Amino acid sequence: MADEVVLLDFWPSMFGIRVRIALAEKGVKYEYKEEDLKNKSPLLLQMNPVHKKIPVLIHNGRPVCESSIIVEYIDEVWKDKAPLLPSDPYQRAQARFWVDFIDKKMYDSSRKTWTTKGEEQEAAKKEFFEVLKTLEGQLGDKPFFGRDNFGVEAECPKFIAWVKRCLQRETVAKALPDGKKVFEFVSAMRTNLGLE
């Protein structure tokens, strides 16, 4: 039986992008199903009845939820390709720590930069740069987080250099949405929130 893989996602989601990159790195073919987060599909509600959020990976009819868990699942199921996570338990734990940091700190602070205005937005920008500087400190002189292979510039030059190296990977470049489309989406969100 061939693997049936479906991804329920929303195009600008950083969490969905993470899963799309993992699938591409492993060479896994999948069906992409775009979700309308204001009008969630019956399939999404059935596959993630607890959180009702994207992304959801459906593998042979069984759902896996939460992007970091999905990436670990992909790494374990499709072992024939280069690993996404380190094999050493300590290094793998460190990778999980930094994924959690990004999920909590980076997501929250970046979201505040486009959902607020005035002094609150300036504070959010400062917090966001502090998060980037923390990540930059962890990156050090390594080309990628966690190891030497794949696994705002004035403020964080090492972090931006890392982003540029990641963008040179075809799997990353193809998984990312068009920057102009993201900008238009964020601008529309800011307008809907009364911030513009």
Side-chain angles (χ1 to χ4, degrees), residues 96-106 131 134-135:
R96 288 182 182 126
F97 172 84
W98 287 105
V99 166
D100 185 66
F101 177 86
I102 288 168
D103 287 354
K104 292 177 180 166
K105 296 287 190 175
M106 187 171 203
V131 169
T134 299
L135 290 170

Side-chain angles (χ1 to χ4, degrees), residues 26-52:
K26 292 287 191 171
V28 177
K29 303 287 184 225
Y30 63 96
E31 179 185 354
Y32 178 88
K33 291 192 175 187
E34 180 77 11
E35 282 292 324
D36 175 353
L37 301 184
K38 292 184 179 183
N39 186 23
K40 296 176 182 178
S41 72
L43 182 60
L44 175 61
L45 298 175
Q46 175 190 358
M47 293 291 132
N48 192 352
V50 175
H51 295 297
K52 301 172 178 65

Side-chain angles (χ1 to χ4, degrees), residues 27-138:
V28 177
K29 303 287 184 225
Y30 63 96
E31 179 185 354
Y32 178 88
K33 291 192 175 187
E34 180 77 11
E35 282 292 324
D36 175 353
L37 301 184
K38 292 184 179 183
N39 186 23
K40 296 176 182 178
S41 72
L43 182 60
L44 175 61
L45 298 175
Q46 175 190 358
M47 293 291 132
N48 192 352
V50 175
H51 295 297
K52 301 172 178 65
K53 296 189 308 187
I54 52 92
V56 177
L57 182 79
I58 306 168
H59 182 210
N60 295 328
R62 301 181 330 187
V64 182
C65 305
E66 299 296 323
S67 66
S68 60
I69 295 169
I70 295 169
V71 169
E72 288 184 38
Y73 179 83
I74 291 167
D75 204 30
E76 291 171 6
V77 171
W78 290 280
K79 296 178 184 178
D80 56 326
K81 301 281 181 161
L84 301 172
L85 296 167
S87 59
D88 176 75
Y90 177 77
Q91 290 178 347
R92 198 167 46 251
Q94 291 300 303
R96 288 182 182 126
F97 172 84
W98 287 105
V99 166
D100 185 66
F101 177 86
I102 288 168
D103 287 354
K104 292 177 180 166
K105 296 287 190 175
M106 187 171 203
Y107 175 75
D108 288 345
S109 64
S110 67
R111 184 175 175 89
K112 287 178 195 172
T113 65
W114 58 271
T115 59
T116 59
K117 60 183 176 179
E119 289 181 24
E120 193 177 356
Q121 185 180 44
E122 290 306 311
K125 287 178 187 177
K126 183 177 179 184
E127 179 185 349
F128 181 68
F129 282 124
E130 289 304 314
V131 169
L132 291 180
K133 287 176 183 178
T134 299
L135 290 170
E136 184 175 76
Q138 177 62 23

